[in-house]
Amino acid sequence: DNNRTEPTLSHPQLDLTLDQLLSTTRAVRKRLDLEKPVPLEVLKECVSMAIQAPTGSNSQGWQFVLVTDPDMIVHIGEYYRQAFEIYKTMPMSIHKLNQDTGDNTLTSSQNRSASSADYLGENMGKVPAMFIPCITGRTYGPVPEGISPAVLQAPQFGSIIPAAWNFMLAARA
């Protein structure tokens, strides 16, 4: 889109090639530095990268909430912990996937991932800042006959996920 301006970053970045950035960005839940403050200017720069992401129908049907208030983070972290406890019981959770395949390597990997996810569930309320991507409107509602709800949701998720990924890559860099 020609109406978007090219953002410029003013903070130091890692000296990574694009291939290195994409191939080394991992979930680092247990390696988060929960004591290190994140400057608001850095968060804003990452948001400026998030809004560069492609969106379905060029709609930019998202908004972002940056939370830096420690009390609010604690409250949101508690909601996350409660939701995570429910998620852990679901068949698609990392805690349930591939547990009975007989593949010890896969089971071990899944157990490490589950432990990492558990750690985040318990510590989300301790992070120095939160970036919360939000979709404008509802992702559910009346569905025309013969249409799957997923057909209505896919464009919205297909827009917010790239924006969140752009934010994460910018934060990594």
Side-chain angles (χ1 to χ4, degrees), residues 9-46:
L9 300 179
S10 61
H11 288 82
Q13 294 186 30
L14 296 175
D15 186 22
L16 297 173
T17 67
L18 181 58
D19 286 349
Q20 290 169 324
L21 177 67
L22 292 172
S23 64
T24 61
T25 300
R26 302 274 188 273
V28 292
R29 296 173 278 248
K30 286 188 174 180
R31 290 182 281 156
L32 291 172
D33 185 347
L34 301 173
E35 304 297 320
K36 183 178 180 181
V38 180
L40 185 59
E41 193 56 39
V42 170
L43 294 170
K44 288 180 179 179
E45 286 182 6
C46 292

Side-chain angles (χ1 to χ4, degrees), residues 1 4 51-63 134 136 159:
D1 183 340
R4 293 189 188 178
I51 64 174
Q52 299 302 312
T55 58
S57 301
N58 196 29
S59 64
Q60 291 86 40
W62 30 241
Q63 297 175 13
C134 304
T136 304
S159 295

Side-chain angles (χ1 to χ4, degrees), residues 38-162:
V38 180
L40 185 59
E41 193 56 39
V42 170
L43 294 170
K44 288 180 179 179
E45 286 182 6
C46 292
V47 169
S48 75
M49 292 293 138
I51 64 174
Q52 299 302 312
T55 58
S57 301
N58 196 29
S59 64
Q60 291 86 40
W62 30 241
Q63 297 175 13
F64 309 107
V65 177
L66 291 175
V67 182
T68 57
D69 177 84
D71 292 333
M72 185 64 69
I73 289 171
V74 167
H75 289 297
I76 294 169
E78 177 56 21
Y79 287 124
Y80 182 87
R81 189 196 62 73
Q82 291 172 18
F84 184 73
E85 288 300 317
I86 295 167
Y87 162 78
K88 287 185 349 181
T89 67
M90 296 178 170
M92 80 290 280
S93 81
I94 191 71
H95 301 80
K96 305 284 185 186
L97 287 176
N98 303 312
Q99 290 300 316
D100 298 320
T101 64
D103 182 339
N104 291 337
T105 302
L106 180 58
T107 299
S108 176
S109 174
Q110 293 295 93
N111 288 341
R112 283 192 311 276
S113 292
S115 173
S116 177
D118 290 337
Y119 177 84
L120 184 62
E122 291 301 320
N123 289 284
M124 180 66 83
K126 299 175 186 173
V127 298
M130 289 181 170
F131 167 76
I132 304 173
C134 304
I135 297 172
T136 304
R138 297 176 183 254
T139 61
Y140 60 89
V143 179
E145 189 173 329
I147 301 290
S148 165
V151 171
L152 301 177
Q153 294 172 338
Q156 292 174 308
F157 292 132
S159 295
I160 195 71
I161 292 169

